[in-house]
Amino acid sequence: MASSEIVDLLVVGGGVNGAGIARDAAGRGLSVLLCEQDDLASHTSSASTKLIHGGLRYLEHYEFSLVRKALQERERLLRLAPHIIAPLRFVMPHVSHLRPAWMIRAGMFLYDNLAKRELLAGSRVIDFRKHVAGTPLKKTLTKGFVYSDAAVQDARLVVLNAMDARERGATILTKTRLIEAKRGKQYWDATLQSTLTGETTEIKARCVVNAAGPWVASLLSGALHTSAQHHIRLVKGSHIVTRRLFDHDHAYIFQNPDKRIVFAIPYETDFTLIGTTDVEYSGDPGKVAISDEETAYLCESVSRYFETAVTPSQVVWSYAGVRPLLEEEIANPSAVTRDYRLELKAEEGQAPVLSVFGGKITTYRRLAEEAMEHLQPLFGYMKEHWTADEALPGGDIANADFAEFRRIFQQRHAWLPTALAARYARTYGTRAARLLAGIHDVAGLGELFGADLYEAEVRYLMQNEWALTADDILWRRSKLGLRFDAAAVDRLSNWLEQQKMPAPAAMLA
């Protein structure tokens, strides 16, 4: 990038909101540069419960508008990314002293009908003595409710938005921090610094978009030298992963005496994901970690329902993230809204800055669209909205029918082991054809690092998805870290160090 190049938008933050805004803006004809100080989705956006959902429990807090918006987006995203987003049925055991049956039925009726629903089945009552979901539960639980939402590969959702943004002309710089920005009448004079080399680059931007998530406030008061009307409240959410606890494909939503809910979700074929907690957080968002108390809480929560108790010794992986929620005068972190606010400061005689406060992964596309509506008066040449109907990379699957796509993909690549073919289809969708271009047998995939991670996939991720380290590959572009031992991680890390790694600047549009 040439020094002092002028761009329309400088987007700061490579989480789902920043990547979504960069994609939307690039598709409207704006020149866009996104910088991320770490890897894409390296913080909050990869620490979610991996769901695209309306938020059933938000109905109790009368967040009808948020739930409707999220349900509308759930339907859209199932069509736009059917490879990384999949329908999932949830089972809620009925415990009468926590919530009466009429209340749950009313909530599920609203959930079924607040927004148009074509792809997912509606809710119903089930008998655990006859339904497979009752098998691992305590025998005192005889009745429950089942409803639909969707599972998502959250970090890949971010990467796919960044890929599409780049393919539409945006520049995406990972390992790049905004260290200073001076606000002029027409432009921001911004200094970017590579966290890999220390080198700096000067650019001019007509507008800065602050999508820094947990760092939104510190970016405003720091590098941007300004303030904001809205404030955020940092809430830590932690999750644990165990070996598979049940042998069916339904997820559970468990009510707890403290009125919170905890999910137990089938995860990566052989595992169960359990979460989440809601704990006030005041530390460095980049150093967040699960506590022993949170692990115990999650184990105890699901053990109230499963016949076989879950203990901390069964945890094979855990993770935590900090959610930047809108500040409200509410004591209970679980009750704080998951909605978002966009704040545009565009005083006459000063270059504008748009800041994102709050939000949830399900509504990221809508948030990006609304961000563009805020900026429309500033960029008269901006094109119309477009993201509601354009598939994400790899998601251009006929009729959004992933099962049929996978069948054809496996048929065309019959030489691939069945499980690997299924993973390629689910991870890359139609882009799997690019990964396998010119390869016709397993030997052509190159070196096997561990599990089913071959050199061809690693090279694809390096060349197309900004993957630089073993963590990028094993925990964000995939979850193969669950299957890698220490020796395999070392083998991959050593191989990556031996390669001529593409610096982020080499991935410019």
Side-chain angles (χ1 to χ4, degrees):
M1 169 164 287
S3 181
S4 296
E5 180 173 341
I6 298 174
V7 297
D8 290 323
L9 294 188
L10 169 60
V11 180
V12 184
V16 71
N17 290 332
I21 290 171
R23 176 188 185 233
D24 195 322
R28 293 175 189 251
L30 300 188
S31 57
V32 179
L33 186 151
L34 180 148
C35 68
E36 163 55 46
Q37 63 183 351
D38 297 308
D39 181 30
L40 295 171
S42 55
H43 297 290
T44 304
S45 293
S46 61
S48 76
T49 313
K50 324 299 183 192
L51 299 179
I52 297 296
H53 65 137
L56 181 63
R57 70 182 181 87
Y58 305 150
L59 293 175
E60 283 192 318
H61 303 298
Y62 307 107
E63 297 248 26
F64 301 118
S65 176
L66 172 61
V67 174
R68 178 183 294 109
K69 182 164 52 180
L71 290 172
Q72 291 169 341
E73 288 303 294
R74 182 188 68 181
E75 188 82 7
R76 288 193 182 97
L77 293 176
L78 279 163
R79 298 181 187 279
L80 302 183
H83 52 323
I84 64 164
I85 301 175
L88 184 60
R89 292 290 270 172
F90 286 80
V91 172
M92 175 186 284
H94 179 232
V95 182
S96 59
H97 69 273
L98 294 179
R99 289 174 178 87
W102 67 264
M103 179 184 291
I104 297 175
R105 282 197 297 267
M108 291 194 175
F109 176 82
L110 282 172
Y111 206 65
D112 285 344
N113 293 283
L114 273 173
K116 185 178 180 181
R117 175 176 48 82
E118 295 180 341
L119 300 178
L120 298 177
S123 61
R124 64 187 181 91
V125 178
I126 57 174
D127 183 344
F128 287 142
R129 294 165 296 186
K130 301 177 182 179
H131 195 281
V132 66
T135 305
L137 299 177
K138 290 183 176 180
K139 301 313 174 189
T140 53
L141 299 167
T142 59
K143 182 175 76 171
F145 305 85
V146 63
Y147 68 96
S148 294
D149 265 322
V152 62
Q153 298 179 53
D154 52 4
R156 291 206 58 74
L157 180 65
V158 178
V159 171
L160 295 185
N161 274 273
M163 287 174 63
D164 203 28
R166 183 181 60 198
E167 291 171 9
R168 296 175 188 276
T171 296
I172 309 295
L173 299 179
T174 63
K175 307 293 184 181
T176 303
R177 179 183 293 119
L178 173 66
I179 60 173
E180 183 71 17
K182 297 178 180 178
R183 196 177 190 182
K185 292 183 178 180
Q186 289 184 294
Y187 306 108
W188 288 88
D189 289 300
T191 302
L192 307 179
Q193 183 178 49
S194 167
T195 61
L196 296 175
T197 67
E199 295 179 0
T200 60
T201 302
E202 307 291 329
I203 69 159
K204 292 182 179 292
R206 294 183 174 87
C207 178
V208 170
V209 174
N210 176 6
W215 291 272
V216 61
S218 59
L219 183 69
L220 284 168
S221 61
L224 298 179
H225 305 289
T226 187
S227 60
Q229 176 184 347
H230 295 97
H231 301 281
I232 59 169
R233 181 174 181 177
L234 299 183
V235 175
K236 179 173 66 164
S238 297
H239 299 76
I240 58 175
V241 174
T242 68
R243 292 288 175 183
R244 188 169 60 186
L245 298 176
F246 44 87
D247 295 324
H248 58 78
D249 60 0
H250 286 53
Y252 293 97
I253 175 173
F254 294 140
Q255 306 171 77
N256 286 291
D258 60 4
K259 298 298 185 182
R260 294 205 65 258
I261 57 95
V262 169
F263 294 104
I265 302 169
Y267 191 58
E268 295 293 319
T269 307
D270 300 317
F271 301 91
T272 299
L273 172 64
I274 299 170
T276 179
T277 59
D278 279 307
V279 180
E280 294 282 357
Y281 188 77
S282 58
D284 180 350
K287 297 179 180 179
V288 63
I290 191 171
S291 67
D292 291 343
E293 291 77 15
E294 288 175 288
T295 298
Y297 173 86
L298 293 173
C299 289
E300 291 166 5
S301 295
V302 297
S303 294
R304 290 190 182 95
Y305 290 86
F306 287 135
E307 189 70 50
T308 302
V310 178
T311 64
S313 64
Q314 294 174 255
V315 175
V316 298
W317 181 52
S318 62
Y319 62 91
V322 177
R323 296 187 288 268
L325 306 181
L326 277 169
E327 181 64 80
E328 295 182 305
E329 294 298 324
I330 296 175
N332 182 3
S334 299
V336 179
T337 183
R338 268 54 176 177
D339 212 344
Y340 55 82
R341 298 289 185 276
L342 302 173
E343 182 176 318
L344 177 64
K345 297 187 73 172
E347 299 92 339
E348 187 174 350
Q350 289 188 310
V353 55
L354 178 70
S355 296
V356 179
F357 296 86
K360 61 197 297 277
I361 195 167
T362 302
T363 53
Y364 89 91
R365 190 209 64 84
R366 183 75 166 270
L367 181 153
E369 198 170 71
E370 291 180 20
M372 291 301 100
E373 291 171 3
H374 277 68
L375 297 177
Q376 177 69 52
L378 306 177
F379 299 100
Y381 47 88
M382 186 188 298
K383 298 177 183 177
E384 293 297 314
H385 57 81
W386 63 278
T387 59
D389 302 309
E390 289 288 333
L392 286 163
D396 50 337
I397 292 170
N399 303 313
D401 187 344
F402 176 77
E404 178 64 8
F405 165 78
R406 181 177 60 189
R407 186 191 68 79
I408 294 172
F409 177 81
Q410 291 177 313
Q411 187 178 65
R412 288 176 177 171
H413 302 87
W415 55 270
L416 276 173
T418 301
L420 181 57
R423 186 173 71 78
Y424 282 171
R426 175 59 73 188
T427 304
Y428 303 104
T430 60
R431 293 294 173 100
R434 301 188 185 188
L435 189 161
L436 296 173
I439 301 174
H440 305 290
D441 54 32
V442 172
L445 294 173
E447 184 176 347
L448 175 63
F449 296 104
D452 61 4
L453 180 67
Y454 287 89
E455 181 180 335
E457 184 175 7
V458 174
R459 291 191 181 279
Y460 174 87
L461 293 173
M462 292 167 60
Q463 294 165 4
N464 296 279
E465 297 194 7
W466 299 274
L468 299 174
T469 69
D471 272 0
D472 296 347
I473 294 167
L474 299 177
W475 293 112
R476 285 180 287 277
R477 305 311 182 277
S478 74
K479 287 296 180 285
L480 290 173
L482 288 166
R483 306 177 190 279
F484 263 53
D485 58 24
V489 174
D490 287 343
R491 187 160 53 249
L492 174 61
S493 295
N494 291 336
W495 186 89
L496 290 170
E497 289 177 5
Q498 293 168 8
Q499 306 307 303
K500 184 178 179 181
M501 300 297 291
M507 292 191 175
L508 305 189

